[in-house]
Amino acid sequence: MKRIIFSILMFFIWTLSFSQEIAQWRGPARDGIYPEKGLMKKWPENGPELKLKIEGFGKGYAHPVIYKDKIYISGLLKDSLDVISCYKMTGELIWSKPYGRAWANSYPEVRSTPTIENNRIYMVSGSGAVVCLDASDGNILWSQGAHKNFHGEYNRWGIAESVLLTDKAALYTTGGTETAVVAFDKITGKLLWKTKSLGGPRAYASPILIEWAGKKVVVAQTANDIMGIDSANGEILWNYNLIQYHTNESGRGANTVTPIFYKGDIFTTSGYDHPATLLTLSRDGRSVSLKWKNDALDTHHGGVVLVNGNLYGSNWENNSKGKWVSVNWETGKTNWEKDWFTKGSIVSADGLLYCYEERQGHVALVQPDAKDFKIISTFKVNGGEGPYWAHPVIYNGMLFIRHGSALMIYDVKNK
């Protein structure tokens, strides 16, 4: 009997673990940290071996995700359609399906990275539809015209959000006068709740899910505010005004970076001379207070990582120029600010940083260090077009780098 009970229990644990498998924006925890181990500590002189190059999925800045050893990537194709494509790891196309209308104004290229869980893909179209598709064939399971139905308010460059999932819901940030964030049932697409409105248009940053004071809390941003939302019912538990720091009118309200949560503190930043801020949650989770403010790390849209107590990212000097920066998490003191081509995106894996500058497509392997920007190896990406804005991805010993309509896959396993 004990053996039977033990077997049932182990099956339940395995099933639960399997059901929680997720592929999404900036890695399993949305923090730019990939759990890969056994990666190269130094690259060959000409860079790691290019194993595969995939083209034909359309233009965009969203990074790919890998789910059950298949590659899913979104792109803009003809007729102003947002399309998601599924490829084998060997590069053969399995299927490609449109899921919505593209953003019609400046930078119409796709910026929504797929979120995949339990064989369901969740996407946001450029026109503000929240869509759920079957990962096996791309067929649409449900679609909600979220932007239109809830009177959302676009910011200057449209939408750059990837769907956040909770236990029951798929979330979308509308902005506008009716609500700030809406939650749809993951399976049916039915509206579960909507928050009150705090005013102001949507931002460009994807939200995160944290646990604090006994609640699962959604941390989301609009152009005006960062807020904490009870994921069970949509109640806004706290909000903090960010637009007060936006002194540069050209990027006013352009909150662009997914927040980072660590031990009761929430980090947020944006470009255009908007300072980085660290907010401390109250014990009851009903308010936040400013812990520190830093003017050096105003990251444009390349993300930030927290490694060994220090933040790493790039800052904004203008739309085509920026330096690489490190800031201490506890104190907010700038460790260093260094030139390396220009600003760009950053992720981390196996104790090292992967930096991808946006002007010429150089990639660097960097040793995290509070004293200096220690570059170990570099190489240059060839292929694709436009700015190098997609964030790198690391999966199964491979480095995935997108440039516009081309995806390059490099072998970075330690031999």
Side-chain angles (χ1 to χ4, degrees):
M1 179 60 70
K2 288 182 179 179
R3 184 176 296 177
I4 293 173
I5 293 173
F6 177 79
S7 297
I8 293 172
L9 178 62
M10 292 304 295
F11 178 79
F12 174 78
I13 292 172
W14 178 87
T15 303
L16 180 62
S17 174
F18 181 81
S19 69
Q20 293 174 336
E21 182 182 357
I22 189 168
Q24 62 179 336
W25 164 247
R26 285 184 63 79
R30 294 197 158 206
D31 57 2
I33 308 295
Y34 287 87
E36 293 291 312
K37 300 295 181 183
L39 304 179
M40 289 182 184
K41 301 304 180 183
K42 183 179 181 180
W43 295 333
E45 184 177 351
N46 295 323
E49 180 186 0
L50 176 64
K51 298 293 289 187
L52 184 65
K53 182 177 180 180
I54 301 175
E55 297 176 290
F57 46 77
K59 296 181 179 181
Y61 312 120
H63 71 64
V65 298
I66 298 86
Y67 180 77
K68 296 184 180 179
D69 286 327
K70 295 183 178 65
I71 303 166
Y72 295 84
I73 190 165
S74 53
L76 171 66
L77 290 176
K78 61 182 181 179
D79 301 322
S80 298
L81 289 176
D82 289 339
V83 174
I84 182 166
S85 300
C86 174
Y87 291 88
K88 294 180 180 180
M89 293 297 290
T90 49
E92 293 91 349
L93 178 66
I94 299 174
W95 54 258
S96 183
K97 297 289 180 71
Y99 61 90
R101 303 298 302 182
W103 170 242
N105 298 317
S106 59
Y107 298 105
E109 293 86 353
V110 165
R111 283 160 283 169
S112 178
T113 293
T115 303
I116 310 179
E117 181 191 61
N118 290 341
N119 216 43
R120 291 170 177 262
I121 306 170
Y122 300 87
M123 298 292 299
V124 178
S125 74
S127 57
V130 179
V131 184
C132 176
L133 308 96
D134 190 324
S136 61
D137 55 20
N139 289 334
I140 292 177
L141 302 174
W142 58 259
S143 179
Q144 286 278 5
H147 178 83
K148 179 180 179 181
N149 295 343
F150 296 95
H151 304 98
E153 185 177 346
Y154 289 120
N155 214 320
R156 181 176 178 182
W157 293 287
I159 295 173
E161 179 179 359
S162 300
V163 173
L164 174 69
L165 299 180
T166 68
D167 293 340
K168 297 181 179 179
L171 279 74
Y172 169 79
T173 309
T174 62
T177 58
E178 181 176 338
T179 177
V181 176
V182 292
F184 301 106
D185 184 284
K186 290 193 296 188
I187 306 303
T188 67
K190 178 183 177 181
L191 179 70
L192 295 178
W193 51 254
K194 63 178 182 178
T195 70
K196 68 179 182 181
S197 171
L198 296 178
R202 58 176 299 113
Y204 308 106
S206 298
I208 60 173
L209 186 67
I210 68 173
E211 292 193 28
W212 190 253
K215 297 181 184 293
K216 291 185 177 181
V217 179
V218 177
V219 180
Q221 296 177 79
T222 61
N224 292 358
D225 296 271
I226 185 169
M227 68 195 78
I229 303 163
D230 188 335
S231 66
N233 56 24
E235 177 191 3
I236 296 180
L237 303 170
W238 55 265
N239 65 283
Y240 187 88
N241 180 272
L242 290 175
I243 207 165
Q244 62 181 304
Y245 302 121
H246 288 226
T247 58
N248 188 316
E249 289 299 321
S250 67
R252 185 170 170 80
N255 294 316
T256 53
V257 178
T258 298
I260 295 176
F261 172 74
Y262 180 67
K263 291 187 176 180
D265 291 334
I266 298 169
F267 173 81
T268 184
T269 184
S270 183
Y272 304 98
D273 300 323
H274 177 276
T277 60
L278 194 72
L279 305 175
T280 297
L281 277 161
S282 63
R283 293 187 67 179
D284 66 359
R286 290 280 177 175
S287 64
V288 291
S289 57
L290 180 66
K291 185 171 183 177
W292 54 252
K293 184 161 61 76
N294 177 285
D295 291 321
L297 190 55
D298 58 331
T299 299
H300 195 189
H301 46 59
V304 175
V305 293
L306 173 62
V307 179
N308 298 330
N310 294 293
L311 293 157
Y312 298 90
S314 63
N315 66 13
W316 181 92
E317 295 182 344
N318 56 53
N319 279 347
S320 60
K321 185 179 180 182
K323 293 183 173 67
W324 295 83
V325 182
S326 174
V327 171
N328 182 268
W329 176 271
E330 283 297 325
T331 67
K333 178 183 176 182
T334 301
N335 295 323
W336 46 258
E337 186 175 353
K338 302 287 185 178
D339 279 310
W340 181 66
F341 292 100
T342 187
K343 57 189 174 68
S345 54
I346 186 170
V347 298
S348 179
D350 204 11
L352 297 177
L353 308 176
Y354 293 72
C355 301
Y356 181 33
E357 62 90 10
E358 65 181 46
R359 185 190 301 163
Q360 300 177 51
H362 291 90
V363 183
L365 186 66
V366 177
Q367 175 68 51
D369 189 279
K371 295 181 180 180
D372 201 2
F373 187 49
K374 293 187 174 180
I375 296 176
I376 302 169
S377 304
T378 66
F379 73 96
K380 188 178 185 302
V381 170
N382 293 310
E385 70 291 300
Y388 299 79
W389 281 346
H391 295 203
V393 171
I394 301 168
Y395 175 84
N396 196 26
M398 299 292 176
L399 173 64
F400 294 72
I401 298 285
R402 178 181 189 161
H403 181 211
S405 61
L407 176 64
M408 280 64 68
I409 304 173
Y410 302 89
D411 187 350
V412 293
K413 291 190 296 291
N414 193 20
K415 302 298 189 290

